[in-house]
Amino acid sequence: MKKIRILSKSQQETKDFGEKFASSIKAGDIICLFGDLGSGKTTLVKGLAKGLHISPKKVHSPTFTLMNVYEGRKSFPIFHFDLYRIEDTNEIFSLDYEEYLFGDGVAIIEWAEKLENLMPKNYYSFELKHKSENERSITVTKKEKR
Ligand SMILES: Nc1ncnc2c1ncn2[C@@H]1O[C@H](COP(=O)(O)OP(=O)(O)OP(=O)(O)O)[C@@H](O)[C@H]1O
Ligand SMILES: [Mg+2]
C-alpha cells in the first residue's frame, strides 16, 4: 500500500474518508490512530464503523473502560480502544489485550502511542494533525515488520 495523505476540510469529510477506507479492512487488522486532542480520531472511527456496517451512533470513545466492542453485520467484532488515560503499559496487560488484538476481530486504537513496546508489528497507522480550525491532515501508512 502506498502512503495516503489527504487534507480533510470538515468533520464529514473525515467520516467519509474513514468509511471509504473501511473497504480495505480485513478480519484481524489493527488500526492505530495518532494525533492530538480534537484532531478527529473518534470522528474517523465513526466513519470506519459505518464502512464496516456498524451504526456510527454506537461509536463513543470508551471512557470508563478502555475498550468498547461493536458487533455489526460483518462476521467479526470491532474493538475500539482509547488509551488516553493509560499511564503505564501494565494497565494494558490487565485487559487481555493480546486476545483482542491478535484474534479475528478488528482493533481500532486511539492514542496508540501509549502502547509503547506493546505496539504490534503489523498495523495501519493513521496520523491526524490540526491544520486549522476545520482542517486536518490525515496520513495513512501500512506498517509491516518481519
Ligand atoms: N476536518 C475535521 N475532521 C474531524 N474533526 C473536525 C474537523 N474539523 C473540525 N473538527 C472538529 O474537531 C473535533 C474532533 O473531535 P474528535 O472527538 O473526533 O477528536 P479526537 O481526536 O478523538 O479527540 P480526543 O483525543 O479527545 O479523543 C470535533 O469537535 C469536530 O467537529
Ligand atoms: Mg477520541
Side-chain angles (χ1 to χ4, degrees):
M1 188 190 102
K2 274 196 256 149
K3 185 189 265 196
I4 304 172
R5 186 163 185 277
I6 67 146
L7 181 68
S8 160
K9 292 187 161 65
S10 68
Q11 187 165 32
Q12 188 60 46
E13 261 188 50
T14 297
K15 274 190 205 158
D16 292 346
F17 177 69
E19 185 179 349
K20 248 199 278 159
F21 186 85
S23 61
S24 29
I25 294 175
K26 300 182 309 300
D29 281 349
I30 302 174
I31 293 162
C32 291
L33 307 181
F34 304 92
D36 294 340
L37 283 169
S39 58
K41 301 180 294 299
T42 303
T43 301
L44 189 74
V45 179
K46 285 178 189 278
L48 291 168
K50 190 166 179 213
L52 294 168
H53 309 294
I54 288 156
S55 163
K57 280 189 225 138
K58 281 198 196 163
V59 175
H60 295 284
S61 256
T63 37
F64 300 108
T65 54
L66 290 171
M67 191 211 35
N68 288 338
V69 184
Y70 312 123
E71 307 270 358
R73 283 195 281 121
K74 290 267 182 187
S75 54
F76 49 80
I78 311 297
F79 302 116
H80 178 194
F81 291 82
D82 190 325
L83 304 181
Y84 181 61
R85 285 170 304 104
I86 286 275
E87 283 170 14
D88 189 301
T89 46
N90 282 325
E91 292 175 51
I92 299 171
F93 276 123
S94 61
L95 264 170
D96 283 334
Y97 155 88
E98 292 185 315
E99 217 170 290
Y100 295 121
L101 252 67
F102 305 114
D104 286 336
V106 167
I108 305 179
I109 309 168
E110 294 190 47
W111 294 98
E113 55 268 56
K114 301 266 185 164
L115 288 172
E116 298 179 8
N117 56 334
L118 298 176
M119 195 69 83
K121 282 192 180 139
N122 302 314
Y123 60 94
Y124 288 108
S125 159
F126 281 71
E127 282 175 70
L128 294 95
K129 289 203 176 104
H130 279 87
K131 290 292 167 186
S132 70
E133 193 185 345
N134 293 309
E135 291 178 319
R136 306 288 187 271
S137 69
I138 307 175
T139 308
V140 189
T141 48
K142 190 169 189 178
K143 307 281 184 188
E144 285 173 297
K145 257 193 230 162
R146 267 176 258 209

